[in-house]
Amino acid sequence: MPNVAVLNMAGENVGEITLSDAIFGISPNAVVMHAAVVNYLANQRQGTQSTLTRTEVSGGGKKPWRQKGTGHARQGSTRAPQWRHGGVVHAPKPRDYSYSLNKKVRRLALKSALSDKVLSGNLIVLDELKLEGFKTKVVADCLAAIGAGKKALIVLENNDAFAVKSIANIKGAKSAQINTINTYDIINADTLVIVKGAVAKLEEVYA
C-alpha cells in the first residue's frame, strides 16, 4: 500500500497516511483514461452550431434568367450554394455530442488517474483546509507552501462555500468533491491535493 506524507496548510509534515491499493495502487490503464477524457470533452460540447441551407436563406424565389439562349449556365435560384448570399452545402445543425461510458470503465479510468498521480509523486494529502471567510490569499499561500504547482485540483471533504469560492479566485486552481471528481480534471492538473477527510470518503465510494 502506498504511503503519502500528510501536510498542514503551512507545508509542514504532520504525519503519514496509507492509501488503499484498490484505488491508489493499481497499474494505470492509459487506454481507459483516454476513453474517459474523450467522453468528458464530448459531453462538454454544446452542439449549438447552425448555418442556413438553400431552403432556409431568404429570397431566391425568382429564376435569375431564362433557361436557354443567354450564354450563361442555367440557374434556378440566386440562393444556390455557388451564389453570393447562397445557402451552405451540408450545413452543420444543432446536435447532441454526448454519450455514456460503461460504469466499470469510468471507475477504472478514475482509479488509473489517481494511481498515476501517486506514481508520479504529484499527489499531496492536506491535513485540513479551514477558512474563516473568503480568504483567497490564505489558499494561495497554502498551495505555494505545499508546492502544488500552477494547476492544482483540490478535492474537498464537503461543500465548503468559503473554500470553493476562495479556490475559484486562483488562476489554475480548481476544487472538486467526491461526487464531482472526474478523470479529466485529475489528468489536467499538475498536482492533485486531497484533504485528509476526503481520502476516507473516496476509498469508501470507489474501493
Side-chain angles (χ1 to χ4, degrees):
M1 292 186 177
N3 293 324
V4 178
V6 178
L7 307 179
N8 61 16
M9 293 180 66
E12 300 166 343
N13 191 328
V14 293
E16 193 174 71
I17 186 171
T18 300
L19 302 176
S20 171
D21 270 340
I23 300 175
F24 298 95
I26 71 170
S27 179
N29 189 321
V31 174
V32 171
M33 286 193 290
H34 176 264
V37 169
V38 172
N39 172 250
Y40 176 85
L41 294 176
N43 291 347
Q44 300 308 301
R45 296 184 68 174
Q46 290 184 322
T48 54
Q49 73 281 17
S50 181
T51 53
L52 303 180
T53 63
R54 62 181 296 170
T55 62
E56 297 168 319
V57 179
S58 62
K62 180 183 176 182
K63 189 174 175 66
W65 48 75
R66 66 180 190 269
Q67 183 81 345
K68 293 176 176 295
T70 64
H72 294 296
R74 55 194 176 188
Q75 300 291 333
S77 170
T78 56
R79 294 301 179 261
Q82 72 271 22
W83 283 75
R84 185 167 179 262
H85 301 306
V88 179
V89 182
H90 306 306
K93 290 295 179 185
R95 56 170 288 195
D96 182 12
Y97 289 93
S98 65
Y99 64 96
S100 62
L101 276 182
N102 186 298
K103 183 178 179 181
K104 289 183 178 179
V105 173
R106 294 199 309 270
R107 281 177 169 260
L108 179 58
L110 186 69
K111 293 176 183 178
S112 294
L114 292 170
S115 298
D116 182 64
K117 279 289 185 277
V118 175
L119 288 172
S120 61
N122 291 321
L123 184 142
I124 298 172
V125 177
L126 192 63
D127 183 32
E128 60 180 1
L129 186 61
K130 281 192 175 181
L131 301 174
E132 297 177 357
F134 302 110
K135 303 290 184 181
T136 301
K137 188 177 185 303
V138 173
V139 177
D141 291 342
C142 171
L143 294 178
I146 63 178
K150 291 184 177 180
K151 289 197 295 184
L153 176 65
I154 300 98
V155 183
L156 303 171
E157 183 178 0
N158 47 47
N159 187 16
D160 183 348
F162 291 148
V164 171
K165 291 190 176 181
S166 297
I167 293 168
N169 287 334
I170 302 171
K171 183 179 180 181
K174 186 175 182 179
S175 65
Q177 295 172 52
I178 304 305
N179 60 341
T180 62
I181 192 172
N182 62 77
T183 304
Y184 174 81
D185 285 339
I186 296 172
I187 294 175
N188 190 47
D190 295 331
T191 310
L192 176 63
V193 181
I194 305 181
V195 177
K196 187 178 179 181
V199 174
K201 289 186 177 180
L202 194 66
E203 293 177 347
E204 182 183 347
V205 172
Y206 292 101

